[in-house]
Amino acid sequence: MKYEEISLMCRSFIPLAEIIKRNYNGREVLLYGDSKPLRDLLKTAYGINAEKVITGVKEKVSEELSFIRDFSGQSDKYYIAIPFLNPEQNIKNNLISMGYNEFSDFAFKMHNPVKSNMGFKNYHDEYGNSISAPAGVTIVLGSESGNVNINIDDTVKFDTNTVIRIVNSQINISIAESVRIGKDFRLTMYGNSFLVVEKNTTFNCNCTIEIPHGGKILIGDDCMFSHDINLMCGDGHAIFDVETGKRTLDVTKDNPRNSIIIKSHVWVGLKAIILGNTTIETSSVVGAGAVVKGKIPNNCVVAGNPAKIVQKNITWSRNNYENDIGQCGEENIKMTEL
């Protein structure tokens, strides 16, 4: 089954389903608390049937619910999946006392949050999370994060109070060498999204990037972001058309309306806002306070709300005292192509 064919609700269970697939070894899968999305995902994407539901509360036992203690000592026959309960130690201890071991015999969808500002060196866990990042940035993996891949080059420099917060699963972050990130930088990412920042790009203080479900932000090399800038590549919440009942913005992967693409050597001025469905071509400048949405040509200046072209056929240099256009780089000296 293609990833795009899996419903949004089911996708959140993919990390748990992957754990089950690796470990169940043909055993019957029991659901500790019912979850139709998990059942549907296991059956349609993995060929695993999980029809029996169990409960830890004896008073709730019925024709539909079996008592968990009735499966004590039978880990050779059953694998237990826990879709909604928090990963409390007393639940784990209870299952361990019944002869079940975490991951090999049972697994929670949710896990304890992972947090560090001391860097991650080749961090991996059972939920498919993989992190490599230097010290100086606080990375927080939420309790529902899984299949998260974060690769931040060791040469990236962070100022104080930089936070990357991962809310859901299926997320990729790549930040290349010699990127510099100013203080109070905030990056928040939701499910099925990714961010790429190429080498030598810089962010001043108080920049905020939010990538909702299905979002994508690509930032080229040698870009320069001033302070108090916001990048938001989607609605963040569901908006519906009342007449059709359909969602106005599809959050499946690779929808261009959920993307921001900033090519190389782009200068974004202070307090600018860049929205989804935007591409900014090479060597352009976004004016202070501009609100940008749509396709911005190369080598031009845009300003205003909504942003419009106010100057064409320009390039720029980081050096405020530069008088030689050649120092801007031959690849950046071009006429604006409309």
Side-chain angles (χ1 to χ4, degrees):
M1 171 172 286
K2 294 182 180 179
Y3 185 80
E4 290 75 11
E5 294 175 354
I6 301 173
S7 72
L8 285 175
M9 183 63 72
C10 288
R11 286 178 206 171
S12 67
F13 290 95
I14 289 176
L16 174 56
E18 293 286 346
I19 294 173
I20 296 169
K21 178 185 176 183
R22 288 196 301 270
N23 293 286
Y24 87 111
N25 292 326
R27 289 175 286 178
E28 183 177 353
V29 175
L30 308 177
L31 297 185
Y32 193 171
D34 195 13
S35 168
K36 186 178 184 301
L38 177 58
R39 280 191 281 115
D40 291 345
L41 175 66
L42 288 172
K43 185 173 183 178
T44 58
Y46 297 87
I48 300 172
N49 289 315
E51 300 298 334
K52 188 172 292 184
V53 182
I54 59 177
T55 177
V57 181
K58 195 163 188 177
E59 290 75 14
K60 292 185 177 181
V61 172
S62 64
E63 290 184 2
E64 292 78 26
L65 290 175
S66 301
F67 187 44
I68 189 171
R69 279 284 169 182
D70 291 339
F71 301 91
S72 181
Q74 301 182 68
S75 61
D76 59 328
K77 298 178 181 178
Y78 301 103
Y79 190 94
I80 299 175
I82 309 166
F84 293 118
L85 296 176
N86 290 322
E88 298 175 357
Q89 193 59 48
N90 63 327
I91 298 176
K92 293 184 181 182
N93 290 341
N94 186 36
L95 290 170
I96 291 169
S97 72
M98 293 168 51
Y100 293 81
N101 295 310
E102 188 171 14
F103 300 120
S104 61
D105 302 312
F106 72 88
F108 290 81
K109 175 194 177 188
M110 293 185 285
H111 54 79
N112 293 322
V114 177
K115 179 179 179 180
S116 176
N117 62 357
M118 299 304 294
F120 287 87
K121 294 298 181 184
N122 298 317
Y123 171 87
H124 302 278
D125 63 30
E126 291 283 349
Y127 290 88
N129 298 311
S130 175
I131 308 175
S132 178
V137 54
T138 298
I139 297 176
V140 181
L141 298 183
S143 61
E144 295 187 42
S145 60
N147 295 342
V148 173
N149 187 358
I150 301 176
N151 187 3
I152 302 176
D153 192 84
D154 286 341
T155 63
V156 174
K157 301 297 182 185
F158 302 97
D159 206 330
T160 58
N161 204 23
T162 296
V163 178
I164 295 174
R165 186 168 70 97
I166 306 300
V167 179
N168 303 113
S169 59
Q170 318 302 127
I171 290 168
N172 286 278
I173 298 174
S174 175
I175 302 179
E177 64 266 27
S178 302
V179 170
R180 300 199 309 274
I181 296 178
K183 66 178 181 178
D184 297 321
F185 177 94
R186 293 289 185 274
L187 168 63
T188 303
M189 297 185 66
Y190 295 84
N192 191 27
S193 61
F194 67 96
L195 168 73
V196 174
V197 181
E198 299 291 356
K199 62 184 180 180
N200 299 319
T201 285
T202 60
F203 297 85
N204 209 319
C205 61
N206 202 33
C207 287
T208 300
I209 299 176
E210 186 161 336
I211 308 183
H213 287 274
K216 172 177 70 176
I217 294 182
L218 307 178
I219 299 173
D221 61 273
D222 192 34
C223 289
M224 184 170 68
F225 292 82
S226 185
H227 59 80
D228 295 287
I229 289 170
N230 283 268
L231 278 67
M232 174 74 171
C233 65
D235 292 336
H237 300 283
I239 299 175
F240 294 90
D241 183 291
V242 173
E243 291 183 347
T244 65
K246 294 182 179 180
R247 185 169 178 150
T248 60
L249 181 59
D250 184 8
V251 295
T252 54
K253 190 177 180 181
D254 295 330
N255 184 341
R257 291 182 61 197
N258 297 324
S259 71
I260 294 173
I261 300 174
I262 300 174
K263 301 292 184 64
S264 63
H265 196 65
V266 170
W267 173 11
V268 181
L270 64 91
K271 296 187 177 180
I273 299 174
I274 301 177
L275 302 174
N277 201 19
T278 293
T279 298
I280 304 175
E281 295 291 341
T282 301
S283 199
S284 284
V285 176
V286 175
V291 178
V292 184
K293 187 178 181 69
K295 185 172 177 60
I296 306 301
N298 64 290
N299 294 82
C300 69
V301 179
V302 295
N305 180 9
K308 299 181 182 299
I309 297 174
V310 296
Q311 193 174 357
K312 296 184 290 186
N313 305 324
I314 62 94
T315 189
W316 60 274
S317 171
R318 289 177 180 268
N319 184 358
N320 189 40
Y321 302 102
E322 188 60 68
N323 286 312
D324 179 6
I325 190 174
Q327 298 303 312
C328 296
E330 182 179 350
E331 69 279 10
N332 297 315
I333 304 171
K334 298 178 182 179
M335 302 291 284
T336 300
E337 298 177 5
L338 297 176

